[in-house]
Amino acid sequence: MFELGTDGPHSILVGVDGSETSLRAGAYAAGLARRQGAEVIILFVHTPPGAGILSAGLIEVQREAQATVVDELKVEIRRNATLLGVRFTFHERHGNPYLELVRLADELRVDAVVIGASTRSGRRLVGSLASRLVRDARWPVTVVP
């Protein structure tokens, strides 16, 4: 017998990095979770410095910037989750965002993944995290513009 509102995902993984599109992806995941009674699993991946950053001082600045973003995200997520009545967990990992999203999705056996579209020119069509997830995923992936 069909029961209204019980056939959707129970756990939704969303990748956030503080960008506008990742915040929209988080909002989309929260709305979906609210409607479905699902848990939102939020992942922030601390990325290593680019090849051009060799200075210890610049590496430390990047670490501090990422830590600040995480702190701000946690405050905003707690506030919004309370307002919406959505359950969530927040995870932090270090490394490649694609690999860490896939690993966490597999570890937790999530039902869906939500990710923001890349805003970098050149990555919109090829090589973006979103397109790799869509191509390689073992779960439904929603890309939020």
Side-chain angles (χ1 to χ4, degrees):
M1 176 151 101
F2 177 76
E3 294 181 48
L4 183 62
T6 59
D7 292 335
H10 294 284
S11 59
I12 303 164
L13 173 61
V14 60
V16 297
D17 61 8
S19 68
E20 188 176 329
T21 58
S22 80
L23 297 178
R24 283 197 298 262
Y28 179 88
L32 180 60
R34 182 185 53 78
R35 290 186 298 279
Q36 297 294 329
E39 176 186 18
V40 178
I41 300 160
I42 302 158
L43 175 62
F44 182 95
V45 179
H46 296 267
T47 56
I53 299 178
L54 301 176
S55 161
L58 291 176
I59 291 171
E60 186 57 33
V61 167
Q62 181 183 9
R63 282 189 192 132
E64 288 175 10
Q66 288 181 357
T68 299
V69 169
V70 167
D71 292 342
E72 291 171 357
L73 284 171
K74 286 180 178 179
V75 168
E76 192 67 19
I77 289 165
R78 280 190 195 102
R79 185 177 68 77
N80 288 325
T82 301
L83 289 172
L84 294 172
V86 173
R87 293 174 294 123
F88 77 94
T89 56
F90 192 94
H91 297 260
E92 292 179 66
R93 298 228 172 151
H94 295 266
N96 179 294
Y98 170 80
L99 294 175
E100 296 307 325
L101 276 162
V102 170
R103 285 182 186 139
L104 187 59
D106 286 343
E107 286 171 21
L108 300 179
R109 301 185 66 167
V110 301
D111 297 311
V113 174
V114 178
I115 192 81
S118 177
T119 57
R120 289 191 217 166
S121 67
R123 291 200 176 253
R124 288 186 161 224
L125 300 175
V126 293
S128 74
L129 172 63
S131 65
R132 287 183 67 195
L133 282 171
V134 169
R135 183 184 63 233
D136 301 341
R138 293 172 292 281
W139 354 259
V141 176
T142 301
V143 180
V144 178

